[in-house]
Amino acid sequence: MRSARSVTTFAAGAASILALTVASLGLPAIARQAAPAAQPQGASPAPAAAPQPATPQAQANPLAESVAAVVNDDIISSYDVVQRMRLLMATSGMQPTQENLPQIEQEALRSLIDERLEMQELKRVEKQQKITIISTDKEVDEQIADIAQSNKMTADQLKQSLTAQGIGLDTWRAQLRADSSWQSWIQGRYGSRLRIGEDQIKAYQRRLAESAAKPQYQVSEVFIDATRVGGMETAANGASQLITQMQQGAPFAAVARQFSASATAANGGDVGWISPGEMPPEVDAALEQLRPGQLSKPIPVKDGVYIIYLRDKRAGSKSTIVDLKQVAAPLAANATPEQVAAATKLLVDLKPKIANCAALEATAGKVEGLVAGDLGEAEITDLAPAFQEAASKLDVGQISDPIRTDAGMHLIAVCGKRQGGANAPSHDQIENRLKGQQLALISKRYLRDLRNQATIETR
């Protein structure tokens, strides 16, 4: 399935996207050379400081183009950069200011370079393997129709909104084509071969169970990758600019789609419900200080900067489900101390011989007087009181010391542990989440290798 970036409501930002022309805002030279001088009809005054007069060069030749970058042998013009800037502003809801235009320009140029590299690679693979990867015009049209529908518009209305803001439709179509084609290639090449093991799913369930009683946060994220933008200082400054724009009304999801380097960008930065320990410690610390509806300050981590929006918060669920097996030495409730001691010794001697849950029944079956069996899954609170404490403290794969009940002496083994309750993700949801994370990592590494091998010249 091909995916496309959503376009958020255009009406909110349409009037002011071009209220300050790129030239009058003192945009860096690349964009200023290609900036159209005329403003769209109906443009409202911008919320920024009064614009300065356009430079003589821009006034004299507003449609002049220059080479902004060369990616291998593929040229990116200054016109391409300005068009992508306008698209970024339109689809993120950001308002142009003196402070954020350099950031928008750099993001536009970076995204164009990445897309050129992706399309060059896809064309190479198509030629080499004689297959079709790149989205056709019809498929791009279908994406546009889907995006328009999600914004409660027709495709024609959506296109008119873009052209009214000075954005050429070819610019948007090129972005959609590159994005969907690349994701289709990554999914097609690696998705079928990617296997998420049961041990990975159980480890994820175990982490959820261990943190089930802790507070849980519903969050959205924007992650600025320091290696992509040129260092931590640039990432932090960029994050500050984005926060300012979101505080002034730019939708978080729209900004995330265009500026976030996280795998969640395609979903508007939606991470879902998380517990402490699932994100970097710096993010956990920030979440403790936020209230629902609040936006974080820039959060530096080792490889970039996060912006977190806390959508909701809830108390942890104490419902934990464990998958248990047991070995028992049957004893009457009134068994003598000697009988209890003998049964205890049998279990103590057996415990180190049990390698894992899978081997428990076979190993116990070799010892006369013992019975073993699978107790299945149960919530810890539904277990017999004697088993509850052991099941709570044991990690997956661990075996208890002998436990006395009215029925005998027991060893219990925790073979699985997961969060319970209606909010717990299902097995398939966890598998899909882990698979998505791995595919996003593969895509990131693939693109990084293409950058390292390419000849990229910016001017």
Side-chain angles (χ1 to χ4, degrees):
M1 180 181 293
R2 301 189 186 277
S3 64
R5 299 177 189 232
S6 296
V7 175
T8 55
T9 305
F10 285 91
S16 57
I17 287 296
L18 298 180
L20 296 178
T21 64
V22 225
S24 67
L25 275 167
L27 188 66
I30 288 177
R32 187 169 63 242
Q33 290 174 343
Q39 296 189 38
Q41 292 183 352
S44 61
Q52 300 300 314
T55 63
Q57 179 184 3
Q59 290 176 332
N61 193 3
L63 297 180
E65 288 190 35
S66 63
V67 175
V70 180
V71 183
N72 293 320
D73 294 326
D74 199 350
I75 292 175
I76 298 173
S77 72
S78 55
Y79 174 80
D80 295 331
V81 175
V82 171
Q83 282 288 298
R84 181 53 61 89
M85 291 175 67
R86 292 171 185 265
L87 182 61
L88 283 174
M89 288 187 284
T91 55
S92 67
M94 292 184 68
Q95 304 298 317
T97 67
Q98 290 277 4
E99 290 74 22
N100 68 23
L101 276 173
Q103 178 194 6
I104 295 171
E105 181 188 28
Q106 289 304 311
E107 179 60 31
L109 184 57
R110 280 191 294 266
S111 64
L112 287 167
I113 290 173
D114 287 350
E115 287 171 18
R116 293 294 199 277
L117 290 171
E118 290 169 354
M119 293 299 285
Q120 288 170 6
E121 174 67 2
L122 295 181
K123 289 174 182 177
R124 183 193 68 80
V125 174
E126 282 190 333
K127 182 177 180 180
Q128 182 184 72
Q129 300 185 13
K130 296 180 173 58
I131 58 175
T132 300
I133 306 170
I134 297 173
S135 299
T136 64
D137 288 341
K138 180 181 178 182
E139 289 170 328
V140 175
D141 289 336
E142 290 172 353
Q143 294 177 61
I144 292 174
D146 289 342
I147 294 169
Q149 184 177 8
S150 68
N151 284 277
K152 299 180 180 179
M153 305 169 74
T154 66
D156 286 342
Q157 288 173 333
L158 186 56
K159 293 173 183 177
Q160 289 169 8
S161 295
L162 287 172
T163 55
Q165 298 169 73
I167 300 166
L169 293 181
D170 287 346
T171 295
W172 187 36
R173 293 179 68 88
Q175 184 191 48
L176 292 176
R177 194 187 308 275
D179 184 57
S180 61
S181 301
W182 183 253
Q183 291 189 38
S184 177
W185 165 238
I186 294 297
Q187 176 68 37
R189 180 176 180 181
Y190 300 101
S192 60
R193 290 183 284 171
L194 197 58
R195 294 289 180 268
I196 304 298
E198 283 300 314
D199 56 335
Q200 294 172 277
I201 295 173
K202 288 182 178 180
Y204 192 96
Q205 290 174 331
R206 182 169 66 252
R207 290 196 299 272
L208 289 179
E210 289 169 352
S211 61
K214 299 177 183 178
Q216 296 176 338
Y217 306 95
Q218 187 182 32
V219 303
S220 294
E221 66 177 359
V222 170
F223 178 65
I224 310 298
D225 188 337
T227 58
R228 182 171 180 265
V229 301
M232 285 296 293
E233 183 178 355
T234 304
N237 290 338
S240 296
Q241 290 292 331
L242 294 179
I243 289 171
T244 298
Q245 288 293 315
M246 287 186 281
Q247 289 172 339
Q248 294 175 355
F252 190 101
V255 172
R257 287 189 182 97
Q258 293 292 6
F259 291 90
S260 180
S262 171
T264 60
N267 298 322
D270 182 9
V271 180
W273 287 97
I274 62 170
S275 299
E278 293 186 57
M279 295 191 77
E282 298 89 342
V283 175
D284 286 344
L287 284 171
E288 292 178 3
Q289 307 301 318
L290 293 176
R291 297 191 303 274
Q294 281 191 320
L295 194 64
S296 75
K297 296 178 180 178
I299 306 170
V301 296
K302 66 177 182 179
D303 53 355
V305 178
Y306 277 97
I307 303 169
I308 296 295
Y309 174 52
L310 179 58
R311 291 150 53 198
D312 202 0
K313 179 180 179 179
R314 67 189 179 200
S317 167
K318 295 185 179 180
S319 173
T320 301
I321 295 176
V322 288
D323 183 7
L324 301 178
K325 288 187 177 182
Q326 75 159 339
V327 180
L331 285 175
N334 59 353
T336 66
E338 290 78 10
Q339 290 173 320
V340 172
T344 301
K345 185 176 187 307
L346 277 179
L347 295 179
V348 169
D349 291 344
L350 174 68
K351 179 178 175 179
K353 299 176 183 178
I354 302 174
N356 50 51
C357 277
L360 181 144
E361 290 159 308
T363 304
K366 299 176 183 178
V367 181
E368 186 177 353
L370 298 180
V371 292
D374 190 340
L375 299 179
E377 285 194 331
E379 288 193 10
I380 287 181
T381 53
D382 292 338
L383 297 174
F387 288 175
Q388 284 187 19
E389 183 178 1
S392 298
K393 292 181 178 179
L394 293 173
D395 291 330
V396 174
Q398 290 186 326
I399 301 171
S400 71
D401 292 328
I403 299 171
R404 178 69 165 115
T405 71
D406 290 344
M409 295 293 298
H410 310 260
L411 295 178
I412 62 168
V414 177
C415 303
K417 183 180 283 190
R418 63 183 177 86
Q419 181 185 354
N423 296 315
S426 67
H427 180 283
D428 288 347
Q429 287 173 329
I430 293 173
E431 183 178 15
N432 289 336
R433 182 179 295 183
L434 293 175
K435 190 173 184 178
Q437 290 173 354
Q438 291 196 22
L439 284 173
L441 185 59
I442 289 170
S443 176
K444 184 177 180 179
R445 288 173 175 170
Y446 197 151
L447 187 55
R448 179 198 61 195
D449 291 342
L450 291 177
R451 286 195 206 101
N452 290 339
Q453 297 163 10
T455 301
I456 301 173
E457 179 185 355
T458 57
R459 299 177 183 177

